[in-house]
Amino acid sequence: MKADIKALPFNEIEEFITGLGEPRFRARQVIDWLFVKGVTSFAAMSNLPLGLRAKLDACAFIAFPEIVARQESNDGLTRKYLFRLRDGETIETVFMRRLWGRTVCVSTQVGCRMGCRFCASGLGGLARNLTAGEIYDQVLFTQKDVKERISHVVLMGMGEPFDNLASTLCFLQNITHPSGLGIGARRITVSTCGIVPGIRALARLGREFGLAVSLHAPYNALRDQLVPVNRRYPLEELIPACRDYTAATGRRVTFEYTLVAGLNDGLEAAAELVRLLKGLLCHVNLIPFNRVSERAYSAPAPEKVKLFRDFLKKHGIAVTVRREVGGEITAACGQLRRAKSREAVGKE
Ligand code: SF4
């Protein structure tokens, strides 16, 4: 069976190439072609001897994505991609042009099995995990398409990164490597719905990756409904893991809190949130619910958002309200993919 070369960490690619009887510098050339230049065939690796190109072709393949749809926001600051993978599955990637740099939001799975109640990605369940290469290529092929250097990456698209732990860790290793795109760990944020062993595995790397946790509720009873993984990793396990993460990395944790009208937007919830996060190096990002037609939740009133935010602030919690970004281009995770599948179904 041919090896999926882009799914491997760089040290294994080196072993693979030296295992073919080639000197180590050839591995560095191959890595450069694959992970910096983004070529899609061994034939295109023009500084490799023809014999090596043929040898690689015989024992490995290069998986690469194809752009099948692009949507750009009216202000030109956000662009959403739908990529088709080798097996025909599709994933979403979002490019954001901001004052501080160029960010790509990547997917880590095709679909998701976590079932967070207000998320479009979870509606169709999990189709499969992405390989490390398929995660990496979302950054590389977006960079090639926009012709601007990507400075930041967030793992906040479709899928739960820690439900695909091995590929996520391999991706983080490759994307930060100086022979790859060399994006600094501080500029990469991993977002999780709260898989505690994943948080602990990331902490063990001892690097300064950002960590964002989808909290959405300060009580187990409510969080069990909104983020079902809470039944496996309840708040009394999740919050200590986050405290340990800040101790291991020195980074503050971002808690994402989607405000849903009548569910978790009251001052009682805000007070419980203050109690839960007391003394924790963190920041709360309030996200007024972005309506997804399939779910029966609705957006909170703007004055409720303000009251909630002011309460946290008054009690010493760093808090921001996420402004609507790219609403007109269905920027909530999973929505472009679902819209495209509906289109496809409509055509059949
Ligand atoms: S919010 Fe994230 S983890 Fe939860 S269902 Fe959506 S993609 Fe999965």
Side-chain angles (χ1 to χ4, degrees):
M1 207 168 77
K2 288 188 177 189
D4 180 356
I5 193 162
K6 286 196 93 168
L8 302 173
F10 291 174
N11 60 319
E12 286 183 30
I13 295 178
E14 257 188 48
E15 281 168 29
F16 185 77
I17 307 276
T18 52
L20 296 174
E22 298 290 334
R24 203 162 290 274
F25 79 91
R26 290 290 182 212
R28 285 196 292 274
Q29 288 175 316
V30 170
I31 287 170
D32 188 62
W33 282 112
L34 292 174
F35 292 90
V36 180
K37 298 190 174 81
V39 298
T40 55
S41 71
F42 293 114
M45 299 182 176
S46 53
N47 59 357
L48 299 191
L50 285 174
L52 174 55
R53 289 186 240 175
K55 230 194 285 184
L56 285 168
D57 221 11
C59 60
F61 68 90
I62 303 171
F64 60 93
E66 194 193 324
I67 297 170
V68 289
R70 276 185 198 86
Q71 280 186 345
E72 188 143 332
S73 59
N74 293 337
D75 58 13
L77 297 179
T78 304
R79 188 185 289 182
K80 190 160 194 169
Y81 290 93
L82 190 69
F83 284 115
R84 183 162 41 228
L85 306 173
R86 195 179 155 83
D87 62 357
E89 292 286 3
T90 53
I91 50 165
E92 292 181 6
T93 304
V94 180
F95 166 73
M96 292 164 276
R97 192 176 280 118
R98 297 291 179 265
L99 282 177
W100 61 86
R102 306 291 178 256
T103 300
V104 171
C105 172
V106 297
S107 295
T108 51
Q109 296 179 307
V110 180
C112 184
R113 62 175 176 159
M114 294 296 124
C116 302
R117 288 294 177 258
F118 38 70
C119 171
S121 292
L123 292 174
L126 175 70
R128 71 168 173 86
N129 281 333
L130 296 186
T131 66
E134 287 168 333
I135 306 173
Y136 191 104
D137 276 345
Q138 294 170 66
V139 184
L140 185 56
F141 281 73
T142 299
Q143 177 167 288
K144 283 177 73 164
D145 192 66
V146 297
K147 299 183 180 61
E148 293 176 69
R149 193 172 159 71
I150 303 302
S151 55
H152 294 71
V153 176
V154 291
L155 288 79
M156 278 187 193
M158 226 193 327
E160 162 55 54
F162 294 146
D163 192 38
N164 182 14
L165 186 62
S167 293
T168 293
L169 296 183
C170 175
F171 160 73
L172 293 174
Q173 194 178 323
N174 287 354
I175 198 99
T176 53
H177 199 286
S179 303
L181 290 178
I183 298 175
R186 288 189 68 84
R187 294 176 161 200
I188 299 176
T189 300
V190 182
S191 173
T192 178
C193 63
I195 296 189
V196 168
I199 295 172
R200 297 209 175 275
L202 191 68
R204 277 195 298 276
L205 295 183
R207 301 183 65 188
E208 294 180 299
F209 291 110
L211 175 69
V213 176
S214 304
L215 191 62
H216 306 317
Y219 326 100
N220 281 324
L222 180 57
R223 196 163 189 269
D224 283 351
Q225 291 172 38
L226 298 181
V227 189
V229 79
N230 193 68
R231 293 176 203 146
R232 228 157 91 215
Y233 305 110
L235 291 168
E236 47 288 7
E237 286 183 39
L238 174 61
I239 300 301
C242 293
R243 288 186 195 277
D244 292 347
Y245 189 82
T246 64
T249 62
R251 296 296 309 270
R252 70 177 184 177
V253 174
T254 295
F255 290 103
E256 308 283 358
Y257 192 103
T258 299
L259 284 164
V260 182
L263 260 190
N264 63 356
D265 63 343
L267 285 186
E268 200 181 296
E272 187 57 22
L273 192 55
V274 167
R275 194 197 59 74
L276 193 69
L277 303 182
K278 200 164 185 268
L280 174 54
L281 184 62
C282 71
H283 164 253
V284 174
N285 191 20
L286 297 175
I287 309 159
F289 180 71
N290 180 1
R291 195 172 159 68
V292 179
S293 57
E294 289 88 344
R295 300 288 193 198
Y297 297 122
S298 50
E303 54 277 18
K304 283 274 222 177
V305 176
K306 193 173 170 306
L307 277 175
F308 201 99
R309 181 201 62 190
D310 292 348
F311 187 91
L312 296 190
K313 245 189 203 166
K314 200 173 96 194
H315 289 85
I317 303 228
V319 56
T320 46
V321 178
R322 184 157 95 188
R323 69 184 180 90
E324 282 290 325
V325 172
E328 77 276 20
I329 62 158
T330 57
C333 67
Q335 289 184 17
L336 176 63
R337 179 167 172 265
R338 288 185 64 76
K340 277 279 153 194
S341 344
R342 278 196 294 268
E343 253 176 52
V345 170
K347 272 182 206 148
E348 277 162 9

